[in-house]
């Protein structure tokens, strides 16, 4: 008996951890530790480009716009990030040192260690302080012209055009961009729940 062949059914191919055609051509937020205490929060940024980036007047914070009561901070004049390198920004350098013996952050939001440069609150964008909510938040990296270069969203945080990561499972974990040089604007794809935070080290 001759069998009838059913018509072909075309379905989209879904590839886990699909990567864009090439690495990002701008700085990226590469790791966020938010579920610890306020003093132990830290953020890592990475430079996937081939050029050193002058961070003078760049900003980082959790204020989605200039009129919300959240924080935005400026890098000091002369700050720079070489290619394929990272910078770690800690809420408190003292608390960071205690949590990560032998490591020192590159900058801190609050002045707790005179040996670590401070980030300065930016009166042009945001009116509050740096503090990441465990339930959900947004972390924005702005260039000198106040253009968002990268935005990380997790939990119940919301930012136009960016999909949120559901968040880490334990307070000892971090959100880690993997691979570190790629950005799809879908944080659930771009980031993983890392059980072993590694500030200053790229995966």
């Amino acid at each position: 008996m001759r069998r009838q062949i059913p018509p072909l059914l075309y379905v989209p191919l879904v590839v886990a951890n699909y990567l864009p055609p090439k690495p990002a051509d701008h700085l990226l937020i590469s790791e966020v530790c938010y579920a610890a205490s306020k003093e132990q929060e830290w953020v890592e940024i990475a430079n996937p480009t081939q050029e050193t980036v002058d961070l003078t007047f760049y900003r980082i914070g959790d204020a989605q716009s200039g009129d919300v009561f959240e924080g935005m901070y400026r890098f000091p004049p002369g700050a720079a990030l070489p290619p394929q390198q990272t910078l770690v920004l800690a809420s408190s350098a003292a608390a960071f040192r205690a949590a990560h013996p032998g490591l020192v952050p590159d900058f801190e939001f609050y002045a707790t260690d005179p040996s670590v440069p401070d980030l300065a609150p930016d009166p042009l964008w945001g009116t509050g302080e740096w503090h990441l909510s465990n339930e959900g938040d947004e972390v924005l990296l702005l260039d000198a012209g106040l253009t968002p270069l990268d935005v990380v969203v997790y939990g119940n945080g919301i930012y136009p055009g960016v999909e949120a990561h559901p968040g880490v499972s334990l307070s000892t974990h971090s959100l880690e961009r993997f691979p570190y040089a790629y950005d799809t604007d879908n944080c659930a794809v771009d980031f993983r729940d890392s059980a072993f935070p590694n500030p200053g080290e790229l995966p």
Side-chain angles (χ1 to χ4, degrees):
M1 180 178 178
R2 189 174 182 180
R3 293 187 303 169
Q4 183 177 3
I5 299 175
L8 293 176
L9 177 64
Y10 291 94
V11 295
L13 177 64
V14 178
V15 180
N17 294 324
Y18 168 76
L19 299 181
K22 60 182 181 179
D25 60 358
H26 54 82
L27 301 186
L28 292 172
I29 299 166
S30 47
E31 193 166 2
V32 180
C33 180
Y34 69 86
S37 68
K38 175 182 177 181
E39 292 75 19
Q40 292 180 332
E41 294 173 352
W42 53 268
V43 174
E44 175 191 88
I45 62 174
N47 181 2
T49 77
Q50 300 302 314
E51 304 291 336
T52 294
V53 177
D54 180 3
L55 295 174
T56 304
F57 305 124
Y58 274 51
R59 298 156 172 87
I60 190 163
D62 61 336
Q64 309 97 301
S65 62
D67 58 353
V68 299
F69 189 70
E70 291 183 285
M72 186 61 67
Y73 289 73
R74 291 186 312 220
F75 289 86
L81 182 51
Q84 316 301 315
Q85 299 297 315
T86 67
L87 289 175
V88 177
L89 324 171
S91 288
S92 161
F96 182 90
R97 286 175 182 265
H100 304 278
L103 298 181
V104 181
D106 297 285
F107 298 94
E108 64 176 346
F109 290 94
Y110 302 110
T112 66
D113 186 333
S115 69
V116 176
D118 298 333
L119 299 169
D122 182 13
L124 299 178
W125 189 294
T127 56
E129 297 182 344
W130 168 264
H131 175 56
L132 299 178
S133 169
N134 289 359
E135 288 70 35
D137 215 330
E138 309 80 24
V139 183
L140 282 73
L141 177 63
L142 312 178
D143 67 13
L146 295 178
T147 300
L149 290 178
D150 191 27
V151 180
V152 175
V153 184
Y154 63 89
N156 60 16
I158 299 175
Y159 192 85
V162 180
E163 296 293 326
H165 188 283
V168 299
S169 55
L170 294 173
S171 63
T172 54
H173 292 196
S174 68
L175 280 181
E176 180 182 54
R177 186 182 293 273
F178 183 80
Y180 88 92
Y182 293 87
D183 182 24
T184 69
D185 288 332
N186 184 340
C187 295
V189 172
D190 296 337
F191 285 83
R192 63 184 179 182
D193 180 344
S194 175
F196 304 100
N198 55 347
E201 296 290 334
L202 294 171

